[in-house]
Amino acid sequence: MAVWNGAVASKDEIRQQKMRAVLLVASRIFNEKGYHGTSLDEIAEEVGVTKAALYYYFKNKEQLLFDCMTVSYECGARARQETQALEGSAFEKLQYLYRRFAELLMLERGAYTSRANMHALPEDVRATLMERRRQLDRFSRDLLQRCIDEGSVRPLDVRITSNYFLGAVNWILRWYPDKDGNSPDVIAANFVDLMINGVRAENTPTQPKA
């Protein structure tokens, strides 16, 4: 059987490319309209295939949403794994974790994790995604606590802070356009700077005057 020495994509590679093309379109529409506001007909039309063709790659709309959201959670897992492999202080790792997470989300274009989208999924697959989120949250909290212990971050509630950071990065998928004047790495760097340093100028009083 001819294999073309890798010069021609295999059937499996072509299949993966087609599925990826569908996921990119589906994620964008899910992010814009939510699960219940999105139809398979709409996704198929934008991809340029029939709805029947979608069923060749995805069992139903629930699986399509699950796969789109899985892309997002894989971005978080990859950022966590890369951070774990780094040398440096906890503060450096914290910044890398969220900068890389944000960058990957913009590059890979998964689906926004909303309560409505999550509850549209069957309980068993929803539990799988929630466990992946808990893994990232636990890692984030641990990093924050280590930052506090080393003195690079002021004492704060690590649960609230981690939820704030994760929610802020997740929100990128709601507003980041397919084409932006800045590259994902530039936006991610600015995003993390805002999360870490806020918007208050130096020497500005913490509380506004009455």
Side-chain angles (χ1 to χ4, degrees):
M1 182 177 68
V3 294
W4 295 90
N5 292 323
V8 178
S10 66
K11 288 184 178 180
D12 184 61
E13 289 171 333
I14 293 173
R15 177 182 174 83
Q16 292 299 319
Q17 289 170 3
K18 290 180 177 179
M19 291 178 67
R20 178 61 179 149
V22 174
L23 290 176
L24 284 170
V25 171
S27 288
R28 179 173 54 76
I29 300 177
F30 282 139
N31 291 340
E32 291 173 355
K33 299 185 176 182
Y35 176 80
H36 296 292
T38 301
S39 70
L40 287 179
D41 289 303
E42 184 178 10
I43 294 171
E45 180 179 358
E46 186 149 343
V47 175
V49 299
T50 64
K51 186 166 73 171
L54 290 184
Y55 287 117
Y56 179 73
Y57 300 100
F58 303 95
K59 183 171 64 175
N60 49 39
K61 191 168 78 165
E62 288 177 346
Q63 187 199 344
L64 186 53
L65 175 64
F66 174 76
D67 288 349
C68 287
M69 295 180 72
T70 296
V71 171
S72 299
Y73 283 96
E74 286 177 350
C75 289
R78 183 174 164 186
R80 174 173 56 84
Q81 291 161 3
E82 290 181 13
T83 303
Q84 288 174 319
L86 289 178
E87 298 291 337
S89 67
F91 189 63
E92 290 170 331
K93 291 183 177 183
L94 180 71
Q95 292 180 91
Y96 182 88
L97 172 68
Y98 281 103
R99 186 172 65 248
R100 187 60 171 148
F101 186 18
E103 183 180 5
L104 287 170
L105 283 178
M106 286 182 278
L107 290 170
E108 299 298 328
R109 306 314 304 260
Y112 169 66
T113 305
S114 68
R115 183 179 297 273
N117 281 352
M118 188 66 78
H119 283 278
L121 296 171
E123 186 175 351
D124 57 337
V125 296
R126 184 166 71 240
T128 299
L129 293 179
M130 289 303 297
E131 176 54 31
R132 298 192 73 171
R133 187 194 187 283
R134 281 191 289 269
Q135 290 174 2
L136 182 58
D137 181 42
R138 285 194 293 266
F139 183 69
S140 172
R141 292 191 199 189
D142 178 65
L143 268 183
L144 283 164
Q145 186 58 58
R146 288 164 57 192
C147 287
I148 294 170
D149 293 342
E150 74 181 15
S152 57
V153 167
R154 64 183 173 83
L156 40 72
D157 187 310
V158 296
R159 180 185 67 83
I160 293 175
T161 307
S162 181
N163 283 329
Y164 167 67
F165 282 179
L166 288 173
V169 173
N170 179 47
W171 189 252
I172 287 175
L173 291 172
R174 287 283 286 172
W175 61 260
Y176 178 71
D178 289 331
K179 294 181 179 179
D180 191 277
N182 292 307
S183 61
D185 60 322
V186 170
I187 294 175
N190 277 275
F191 211 80
V192 171
D193 178 59
L194 286 171
M195 290 198 306
I196 298 296
N197 300 310
V199 298
R200 187 168 64 95
E202 283 189 60
N203 303 319
T204 301
T206 303
Q207 298 295 331
K209 293 181 178 179

